[in-house]
Amino acid sequence: MSSSQPPSGERNPLGLDELIAILVAFGTMGAILFWVTGKNPDRLNARNWQFPAVFSQPAVTPATPGILTPESANSDLRSPAATPVPSKRDVAPVAPLGRILPATPPVAVIVVPRKPIGRSTPNPAITKPKADKPKVGPVRFSDVPDKYWARPFIVALVDRKIFADSTDNKFRPDEPMTRAELARLIQRMSDDKEPIRKPIDFKDVKDKSPVAPAIDHTVKTGYLKGYPNNEFRPDKNIPRVEVIAALASGLNLKRSAKASKTLQIYTDRKKVPKWAVDKVAAATEAGIVVNHPKRALLQPNTTATRAEVAAMIYQAMAKKGQVPAKSSEYVVKPLKLSK
């Protein structure tokens, strides 16, 4: 007679089939894990994990038996076993833990320019064209207005560098002219003339004086002479008659009629020194004499001004053909006298 014994509390060892099933299950899970981590390694980051609601909310018993599966970014990921998907009304909502990152990590954006980028080469240096030198306009002096009687003569001589001592935009037309200053002007207007006599060693003109070359030139070319006692007197204000005589001598002018008849045009002709009568007559016939303010008033012994010297030097250059003649009401025109 067999007696029944109560079942023992000890479990029977697993059979071979059960061990194989467990190994297959773990192998399958490892393969799935390896495939998922190989496709997107960032999903192993604990911050990116998403857990089903069973870990954060009370379990909900579904109306339809099934397995709750978390939502995956890849729709192709499924459990090895065929599992029925519950309807939306039967599945509890899944609350993701933390920020959900996209399945595929973002790729850096590459901005493609509209035009191809060529090799950067420095722009060629821009060279500004040199500005043309400003043209020299009419000479302007604050003390020589446009209607000044000697302005045409002054401007012409300044343009030709005959007068080169103007400063502060002033010409000083009414200042007196010295013998040394006249020598400089004559040298500039006749620097191409050959000497016709030997220079004079004046005792009042030092060899190193800046006016010595001009004085030597005017003496050698026949324009000026000295005074008795071997003096030139360079700082002496020169009278008008000496300017007229110097120009007539340098140009070698000769009177064509009797001097007395030629000088009849001047109301003060008796004031002309005897040594200068022929020179003044020759200069008058050549159109060199310029009288201001009255053409008939010679004023031979009055100190010559810079404006008067400028006018008569210009007329001397016109006589030589160096400059065009200028018409002026103050240029003396000789009378036509009957022989």
Side-chain angles (χ1 to χ4, degrees):
M1 178 174 175
S2 60
S3 61
S4 60
Q5 296 180 355
S8 175
E10 296 180 0
R11 294 182 180 180
N12 294 328
L14 298 176
L16 180 60
D17 295 337
E18 294 174 342
L19 290 175
I20 292 174
I22 292 172
L23 292 175
V24 170
F26 277 105
T28 303
M29 294 175 63
I32 294 172
L33 180 63
F34 179 77
W35 179 79
V36 171
T37 58
K39 185 175 181 181
N40 191 356
D42 292 338
R43 292 182 67 85
L44 286 178
N45 193 338
R47 291 179 299 177
N48 300 335
W49 291 0
Q50 299 178 0
F51 297 94
V54 295
F55 295 100
S56 58
Q57 297 179 358
V60 178
T61 304
T64 305
I67 299 176
L68 295 176
T69 305
E71 202 174 315
S72 175
N74 193 342
S75 60
D76 295 337
L77 180 61
R78 294 289 185 271
S79 175
T83 305
V85 180
S87 61
K88 293 182 179 180
R89 60 180 180 173
D90 298 329
V91 179
V94 178
L97 296 178
R99 185 168 55 91
I100 301 177
L101 298 179
T104 304
V107 182
V109 178
I110 300 175
V111 178
V112 181
R114 296 181 179 179
K115 296 182 180 180
I117 301 176
R119 180 179 297 177
S120 61
T121 56
N123 295 330
I126 300 175
T127 304
K128 295 182 179 180
K130 294 182 179 180
D132 296 335
K133 293 182 179 180
K135 296 182 179 180
V136 179
V139 178
R140 297 290 180 184
F141 293 111
S142 59
D143 53 357
V144 181
D146 293 341
K147 294 184 179 181
Y148 187 74
W149 73 270
R151 175 177 171 77
F153 307 106
I154 294 172
V155 170
L157 293 185
V158 172
D159 282 341
R160 290 167 173 81
K161 307 300 182 183
I162 304 300
F163 276 88
D165 58 344
S166 302
T167 57
D168 300 330
N169 198 31
K170 293 182 178 180
F171 182 78
R172 308 183 306 278
D174 298 326
E175 287 189 4
M177 177 72 63
T178 65
R179 286 173 56 83
E181 290 171 341
L182 178 64
R184 289 195 187 97
L185 300 178
I186 292 176
Q187 181 188 30
R188 293 167 187 162
M189 66 165 282
S190 62
D191 57 353
D192 58 342
K193 186 177 180 181
E194 296 294 333
I196 59 176
R197 61 189 179 190
K198 294 181 180 180
I200 301 174
D201 187 14
F202 297 106
K203 65 180 182 182
D204 56 352
V205 178
K206 297 181 180 180
D207 294 338
K208 295 183 179 180
S209 173
V211 297
I215 292 173
D216 287 343
H217 174 81
T218 56
V219 171
K220 290 187 296 183
T221 53
Y223 282 91
L224 290 173
K225 294 181 180 180
Y227 290 94
N229 300 325
N230 202 25
E231 294 179 352
F232 185 81
R233 302 177 188 177
D235 298 328
K236 177 181 179 292
N237 291 340
I238 191 168
R240 283 171 48 86
V241 68
E242 290 188 14
V243 176
I244 297 171
L247 296 176
S249 299
L251 297 180
N252 197 25
L253 299 178
K254 304 297 181 181
R255 59 179 177 82
S256 60
K258 290 183 178 182
S260 58
K261 291 183 178 180
T262 303
L263 297 183
Q264 288 181 4
I265 192 175
Y266 303 118
T267 57
D268 55 348
R269 55 186 175 273
K270 293 182 180 180
K271 295 181 180 180
V272 177
K274 292 182 179 181
W275 66 265
V277 170
D278 288 343
K279 299 295 182 181
V280 173
T284 302
E285 293 178 359
I288 292 177
V289 180
V290 181
N291 295 335
H292 178 270
K294 295 180 180 181
R295 187 168 56 184
L297 190 62
L298 182 61
Q299 305 181 75
N301 300 312
T302 304
T303 299
T305 64
R306 288 168 56 86
E308 292 172 339
V309 172
M312 288 190 280
I313 282 186
Y314 185 90
Q315 290 299 104
M317 295 177 66
K319 180 65 176 179
K320 294 174 58 178
Q322 294 177 308
V323 294
K326 289 184 180 295
S327 60
S328 172
E329 60 178 313
Y330 302 107
V331 175
V332 178
K333 298 178 182 180
L335 297 175
K336 293 182 180 180
L337 301 176
S338 58
K339 294 183 181 181

